[in-house]
Amino acid sequence: RAKRAGRDCVRVFEPSMKAEHDERARLLTALRSAVPAQEFRLHYQPQVDRTGRVVGAEALLRWESPELGMIEPSRFIPLAEESGLIVPIGRAVIRDACAVLAWWSQDPATKHLTLSVNVSPHQFQHPSFVEDVRLALQTAGVSPSLLKLEVTENVVISDMPSVQAHMQALRELGVRLSLDDFGIGYSSLSYLKHLPLSQLKIDQVFVRNMLSDPREAAVVRTVIALARDLALELVAEGVETPEQREMLSDLGCGLYQGYLFGRPVPLESLCVVQ
Ligand code: C2E
Ligand code: MG
Ligand code: MG
Ligand code: MG
């Protein structure tokens, strides 16, 4: 028995796991130098209203590593989060986003556009977060109401005092808070009415399966009603087909984002005026 257990314990050194560990270590080393080397770049995906008019965009981070090539956020964001590197990376993202808002604000055709930025838990709870945001807005000279910070459920339900304080402080600053990937969490909905949110983004998994699975459609219908009752904006993510758009529209969805309207692209390729 003891021998078996011992053998089980040894499993952590299996070759496949070693390879995975090495890969992580390699990625982390590259990520460390990517910050000073400025290998990150933002892409922008349009968000449209019911009439198809572009009302804003979401900034999505891309890492172009000279050695490793283009690396997906799903591969490096968790690593950046665990290592704390998300703090300097995220600070640069917010600075760039504010610069884009400043640029848009100079033209009557684009000055109404909002920009949404994803913020991870570690970044949100960092002591200097609110001050970083305030400073970035002030330096760029843009209205805080044009900036939307997207956070996930695990951030907003955190009982850490700093998280609750930061949400309030950002709200007072005039920045909008959006709850991203809504519906895939497992927390109770009653917390929603106590939070200083202005937007819900229903997760793309519900949009994807809505037409084929009545249960997913029921979730979408419920979330849209919930948003309406709480006077929150509702964004549907991952809208890929006209059929999805039509069903969402019938259900009363206000804002749309997905490949149907545009993929994430570099700023110079973003089409914001029809
Ligand atoms: P998210 O914030 O939920 O972003 C939506 C993701 O869905 C993006 O993936 C986007 O490219 C993708 N997407 C948009 N429309 C469609 C569609 O119609 N169909 C499909 N299949 N996918 C669509 P991306 O760019 O790979 O980003 C993945 C996640 O990485 C984001 O999810 C966000 O959580 C995180 N992320 C991205 N940029 C940042 C950042 O600057 N900071 C932080 N902390 N996280 C970021
Ligand atoms: Mg997002
Ligand atoms: Mg999302
Ligand atoms: Mg997501």
Side-chain angles (χ1 to χ4, degrees):
R1 268 202 142 241
K3 210 170 169 193
R4 269 207 83 121
R7 196 185 293 151
D8 283 349
C9 289
V10 171
R11 280 229 189 112
V12 288
F13 300 112
E14 266 182 20
S16 69
M17 286 181 171
K18 178 164 189 318
E20 205 173 289
H21 179 271
D22 288 352
E23 159 73 12
R24 260 180 68 92
R26 201 164 68 104
L27 212 57
L28 186 57
T29 306
L31 193 60
R32 283 222 165 82
S33 58
V35 180
Q38 300 186 313
E39 291 165 9
F40 300 98
R41 164 181 176 80
L42 287 171
H43 280 192
Y44 299 83
Q45 185 178 33
Q47 296 176 331
V48 308
D49 69 10
R50 295 174 66 86
T51 68
R53 197 175 77 111
V54 178
V55 292
E58 177 175 7
L60 293 157
L61 197 57
R62 301 292 178 254
W63 175 20
E64 283 152 25
S65 160
E67 314 96 77
L68 306 171
M70 170 90 151
I71 300 158
E72 291 281 297
S74 59
R75 277 183 70 205
F76 73 84
I77 296 283
L79 206 56
E81 175 74 6
E82 286 161 40
S83 61
L85 285 167
I86 196 66
V87 172
I89 295 171
R91 208 176 269 141
V93 167
I94 288 175
R95 236 185 355 244
D96 287 358
C98 289
V100 170
L101 282 170
W103 163 249
W104 283 346
S105 72
Q106 289 171 9
D107 186 334
T110 53
K111 68 180 177 43
H112 63 284
L113 296 173
T114 61
L115 192 53
S116 298
V117 169
N118 294 283
V119 179
S120 70
H122 186 96
Q123 193 189 349
F124 195 88
Q125 72 188 45
H126 191 272
S128 75
F129 182 66
V130 177
E131 187 52 22
D132 289 346
V133 172
R134 200 191 57 75
L135 204 65
L137 286 162
Q138 195 187 48
T139 306
V142 299
S143 164
S145 64
L146 296 172
L147 182 66
K148 293 183 178 176
L149 299 179
E150 296 192 358
V151 291
T152 48
E153 253 172 292
N154 50 1
V155 171
V156 298
I157 62 167
S158 160
D159 52 12
M160 287 192 48
S162 70
V163 168
Q164 300 303 322
H166 286 182
M167 279 195 282
Q168 278 308 333
L170 289 162
R171 174 65 160 238
E172 279 155 30
L173 195 61
V175 169
R176 312 280 174 90
L177 290 177
S178 172
L179 190 49
D180 204 353
D181 303 341
F182 186 69
I184 57 170
Y186 39 78
S187 46
S188 105
L189 296 180
S190 61
Y191 70 95
L192 273 182
K193 60 177 183 289
H194 303 297
L195 297 173
L197 297 171
S198 61
Q199 183 179 81
L200 293 183
K201 291 187 86 171
I202 187 162
D203 193 75
Q204 51 192 38
V205 71
F206 302 107
V207 175
R208 188 178 310 136
N209 302 321
M210 179 177 68
L211 287 153
S212 56
D213 186 344
R215 288 168 305 182
E216 304 278 12
V219 174
V220 175
R221 188 178 302 115
T222 304
V223 172
I224 291 174
L226 181 73
R228 193 189 304 119
D229 290 350
L230 295 174
L232 299 172
E233 278 183 348
L234 192 275
V235 185
E237 298 190 315
V239 184
E240 294 184 353
T241 68
E243 292 76 20
Q244 289 168 342
R245 177 200 199 168
E246 195 176 317
M247 182 164 178
L248 286 163
S249 172
D250 290 346
L251 293 174
C253 177
L255 297 169
Y256 307 76
Q257 185 181 341
Y259 296 167
L260 179 64
F261 310 99
R263 288 181 180 255
V265 289
L267 186 64
E268 58 275 16
S269 310
L270 183 71
C271 230
V272 288
V273 205
Q274 284 91 0

